Amino acid sequence: MTQDIFSHSYSAVHPGTDKTQVFFHDFDSEANPRDIFLPGRSGTGRCFVTDITVATLPFMQDFLRDFDIDDCNDIEVNRSYQVGSDTLVCLGAGEVFKTIDSVLKIVATALDAGLQRTGLFVGIGGGVICDMTAFAASIFKRGAQLELVPTTLLSMVDASVGGKTGCDFDSYKNMIGTFYPASKIHIFRAFIQSLPESEYNSGLAETLKTALLYAPKLFYILQNQYEEIENRDKDIVGQLIRRCIIAKANIVEKDLTETGLRMQLNFGHTFGHALETCAGLGKITHGAAIAWGMGRALELSVLLGHCEPEYRNEVQEVLTKYGWETKAYHPALESAGISPQAAPEKLLAAMKKDKKNTSSKIRCILQREINSTLVEEVPEDMLIKVLLD
């Protein structure tokens, strides 16, 4: 029996998938989100999403007052606030709230507010808020408009760029999600000054990842301008952000849906996500886990003969300088009640759940040297060797 086969292809139909504009608003002034998103003045409805931590920051107070919130301490988690055709929903802060329930709360808020498909979702927050807002926008009436205002260094240099959306599921990182780039990303560098040290350090880890993959000059800055970086010098921080965005955007343009080249951006993540799962999501910052993961990936690269020990040692010096763990047994595992003897098998079990795997072997991102990266499926016995203390 012969069947007719009809095939057809599409150009990008979702907003933002053809172009993302990045705006640096506060490199000359201390601007805030109200300057570009004046509530109640939009032609179409907008759904703003933030979390309880971001809502208390000084840069957000004028914005909140437009929603009749005179005291930021009065804002409530999971409550929505409306002015004109705009609505604001405040979620709980942190990885533990990166759930499908939170995503559906955003969707429900938009529906209750009468948002149309032409409406705009705006995520104002760190990687958790950016990922979930983007996911909600991608599934709302099969795709609404999306803009992001990243408020952490990690979300500025990584999470908001490139269109990955999603939430955690069943203790595993980002198991549900889509590819859905924002049409605009608004960088307010002033948010960096209010970050807790752990969150700032978390963003530096993703900065180091980008440096090792694509930006030797950026690695040099991290090596030699430690004091300026630790003091959050505005010019240096601005340079870190710009260099990371340019490097990542260049890769995403070539491989949005991660079928090849973009896989390199997962350097350190196969190990790091496993650590986050075993330690308990939210118990360790994402950046600290990825920093540890990069160290393990380089140990594996040496073990497999891909890179020289001297390169691994050079990177480990930087990891140590910024306070990241380089030993196989991470202290977060001890806090979770996982012994050094049990840790390798538990980490390996978590790595097998990684969404990047396509076979029974585990896919790892490895390096030969700076700016020279390869993707390889690695046997379990090799992984166990670099997970043993």
Side-chain angles (χ1 to χ4, degrees):
M1 180 179 177
T2 302
Q3 291 182 322
D4 290 331
I5 299 174
F6 176 73
S7 64
H8 54 292
S9 59
Y10 299 95
S11 58
V13 295
H14 291 134
T17 55
D18 58 342
K19 181 174 69 172
T20 297
Q21 294 177 285
V22 181
F23 299 91
F24 294 87
H25 292 282
D26 70 338
F27 278 73
D28 298 314
S29 65
E30 296 302 315
N32 65 64
R34 188 177 185 271
D35 295 336
I36 51 172
F37 296 115
L38 191 64
R41 301 288 179 86
S42 66
T44 58
R46 297 178 296 187
C47 179
F48 296 94
V49 184
T50 192
D51 66 38
I52 195 66
T53 297
V54 174
T56 63
L57 296 177
F59 314 109
M60 290 291 289
Q61 299 321 296
D62 288 342
F63 184 79
L64 295 180
R65 289 190 189 100
D66 286 313
F67 284 95
D68 296 323
I69 305 170
D70 294 325
D71 187 339
C72 63
N73 294 313
D74 292 336
I75 195 166
E76 299 176 28
V77 172
N78 285 340
R79 179 179 167 185
S80 60
Y81 303 82
Q82 191 150 1
V83 54
S85 59
D86 295 334
T87 187
L88 167 71
V89 59
C90 180
L91 302 176
E95 192 76 29
V96 294
F97 292 97
K98 195 178 184 182
T99 65
I100 191 64
D101 288 336
S102 294
V103 174
L104 294 178
K105 174 63 181 177
I106 299 170
V107 171
T109 299
L111 283 171
D112 290 344
L115 201 70
Q116 300 300 314
R117 189 179 182 182
T118 54
L120 174 66
F121 285 75
V122 182
I124 308 175
V128 170
I129 289 295
C130 288
D131 282 1
M132 292 196 299
T133 305
F135 186 25
S138 74
I139 60 176
F140 184 79
K141 299 185 178 181
R142 298 195 177 96
Q145 301 288 328
L146 172 67
E147 298 185 23
L148 297 174
V149 183
T151 61
T152 64
L153 181 59
L154 189 147
S155 58
M156 290 178 190
V157 302
D158 187 72
S160 68
V161 183
K164 281 189 177 181
T165 84
C167 62
D168 304 334
F169 184 74
D170 196 22
S171 298
Y172 294 100
K173 289 276 293 184
N174 301 325
M175 280 293 124
I176 308 173
T178 57
F179 290 96
Y180 201 80
S183 59
K184 296 178 183 178
I185 299 172
H186 303 275
I187 304 292
F188 292 94
R189 187 180 47 179
F191 279 115
I192 298 296
Q193 303 306 317
S194 62
L195 286 179
E197 189 61 34
S198 61
E199 285 301 323
Y200 180 63
N201 189 261
S202 181
L204 289 177
E206 286 284 2
T207 303
L208 175 61
K209 180 203 76 174
T210 302
L212 297 177
L213 290 174
Y214 309 117
K217 173 64 175 177
L218 184 56
F219 183 59
Y220 179 84
I221 293 171
L222 288 164
Q223 276 183 310
N224 297 285
Q225 294 187 257
Y226 172 79
E227 288 189 7
E228 294 97 320
I229 291 171
E230 283 296 288
N231 292 330
R232 309 188 194 191
D233 177 87
K234 287 187 176 182
D235 291 335
I236 290 294
V237 169
Q239 193 173 160
L240 298 181
I241 295 168
R242 284 182 181 275
R243 287 180 181 273
C244 284
I245 288 176
I246 290 169
K248 185 170 183 180
N250 182 54
I251 297 302
V252 171
E253 278 183 354
K254 298 172 183 174
D255 181 22
L256 174 65
T257 57
E258 200 174 285
T259 58
L261 186 62
R262 186 173 179 169
M263 291 179 189
Q264 295 178 356
L265 291 168
N266 292 305
F267 180 53
H269 284 61
T270 302
F271 289 98
H273 282 173
L275 177 61
E276 289 181 272
T277 294
C278 292
L281 294 181
K283 298 298 183 182
I284 179 175
T285 67
H286 177 67
I290 298 313
W292 175 83
M294 288 189 287
R296 292 302 93 202
L298 287 174
E299 289 287 356
L300 184 58
S301 298
V302 171
L303 181 64
L304 295 172
H306 294 312
C307 89
E308 297 296 326
E310 289 77 13
Y311 174 59
R312 174 204 59 197
N313 295 343
E314 185 180 16
V315 175
Q316 284 192 341
E317 286 180 10
V318 176
L319 291 171
T320 301
K321 180 184 291 188
Y322 286 91
W324 294 310
E325 183 60 63
T326 58
K327 294 181 180 178
Y329 183 66
H330 197 286
L333 297 171
E334 183 178 10
S335 299
I338 300 173
S339 69
Q341 295 74 30
E345 289 295 340
K346 286 190 175 293
L347 288 164
L348 188 63
M351 292 168 76
K352 289 179 179 178
K353 298 281 189 179
D354 195 290
K355 58 187 175 298
K356 297 180 290 297
N357 297 329
T358 57
S359 70
S360 58
K361 292 183 179 180
I362 293 173
R363 177 179 289 168
C364 294
I365 315 303
L366 307 171
Q367 282 206 299
R368 302 179 187 89
E369 57 187 13
I370 195 166
N371 205 17
S372 180
T373 307
L374 66 153
V375 181
E376 185 172 316
E377 292 185 330
V378 180
E380 293 182 14
D381 61 329
M382 292 296 185
L383 291 166
I384 290 291
K385 287 182 179 180
V386 298
L387 294 172
L388 284 169
D389 222 1

